[in-house]
Amino acid sequence: QVQLVESGGGLVQPGESLNLSCTLSGVPLEFYAVGWFRQIPGREREGVSCITVSGDSTLYADSVKDRFTISRDNAKNTVYLHMHSLKIEDTAVYYCATDVRSLGGYGCQDLDAANGDWWGQGTQVTVYS
């Protein structure tokens, strides 16, 4: 059974940092590009960042560029999202998902949530002042 589990969310103040983890089980992470997405109630899920299968290429939404960093550790079957200089507008439920295009040798060409294949249950990030 394939499963993605996010962790690391929490309650922080503006300017602080959080590190999210996304652990894949059931299949080896090394074959998949993985994206991070976020959603607030009443709004569509938006892409935050993604990382290719090789880890050589990453993509970031303009709103998080230079503040968030995505990385992967295939040995631990885990993808990370390091979030710095958090803002109130970063408050959302954060999800990770494998990219459905991964097995075609692609993935992470964009941050469209429609390309998410397997999804985690999400982790809440709240930035309050």
Side-chain angles (χ1 to χ4, degrees):
Q1 180 181 358
V2 178
Q3 192 174 17
L4 282 161
V5 178
E6 302 96 336
S7 62
L11 200 62
V12 295
Q13 293 189 308
E16 294 185 339
S17 300
L18 277 175
N19 294 316
L20 305 184
S21 298
C22 168
T23 301
L24 176 66
S25 60
V27 292
L29 177 67
E30 62 184 304
F31 299 122
Y32 296 93
V34 175
W36 281 98
F37 304 83
R38 64 188 182 186
Q39 188 171 24
I40 61 175
R43 297 184 63 175
E44 289 189 359
R45 193 166 295 187
E46 65 167 343
V48 174
S49 182
C50 68
I51 188 166
T52 56
V53 171
S54 66
D56 291 343
S57 183
T58 57
L59 196 60
Y60 296 94
D62 288 342
S63 59
V64 306
K65 205 170 291 185
D66 299 326
R67 298 189 299 120
F68 290 11
T69 302
I70 192 170
S71 63
R72 63 190 294 152
D73 185 340
N74 289 343
K76 295 183 179 180
N77 254 30
T78 300
V79 173
Y80 303 97
L81 186 67
H82 308 281
M83 306 188 295
H84 305 289
S85 302
L86 282 161
K87 304 176 180 180
I88 291 175
E89 51 263 43
D90 294 318
T91 296
V93 178
Y94 283 71
Y95 301 88
C96 61
T98 55
D99 194 308
V100 69
R101 300 165 291 187
S102 298
L103 296 183
Y106 301 98
C108 196
Q109 292 96 323
D110 54 57
L111 295 174
D112 189 346
N115 292 311
D117 192 2
W118 290 307
W119 290 86
Q121 82 292 344
T123 185
Q124 176 71 47
V125 171
T126 302
V127 186
Y128 73 102
S129 61

